[in-house]
Amino acid sequence: MRYWMQGDTTAWVLDEIGKEQPITMALAIGASGVKSIQVLEYRESRGGEIQYPFFTQQFDHAVLEQSNNKLKLDRNIDGITGATLSVRAMTKVAKVALYLHSKVMEAKLGNLARQS
């Protein structure tokens, strides 16, 4: 897991298994949620459509919300026929990046409070 931070924006490079192979994705997360999500390396034989803007734009400004003690995205993500596991992988990575971003921001605020 790798991330970078500038101001209140974090950038993450995360892997998640699609059907059989890892999918490497980059995400930029800001105060308003997902700023962008991009597939860096797609290794599966099917489902590569998750790389295209018509699909990735569904994640723009997505945030986490709590429902029944579970964290989930604030919207439904439309699937792609033949790419169900790849869609699930990207959705999972978006949730993980949003959660990790919140923890990094909490730590940053905690450090600023201790310095005051």
Side-chain angles (χ1 to χ4, degrees), residues 38-58:
Q38 182 177 7
V39 175
L40 300 178
E41 187 72 36
Y42 191 81
R43 300 169 182 92
E44 298 284 357
S45 59
R46 299 181 65 181
E49 296 87 356
I50 68 164
Q51 302 175 75
Y52 299 121
F54 79 86
F55 180 75
T56 60
Q57 288 171 351
Q58 295 182 82

Side-chain angles (χ1 to χ4, degrees), residues 67-81:
S67 175
N68 299 327
N69 282 339
K70 287 180 73 176
L71 293 174
K72 62 178 203 162
L73 293 180
D74 66 338
R75 65 196 63 199
N76 290 323
I77 301 298
D78 291 334
I80 298 172
T81 302

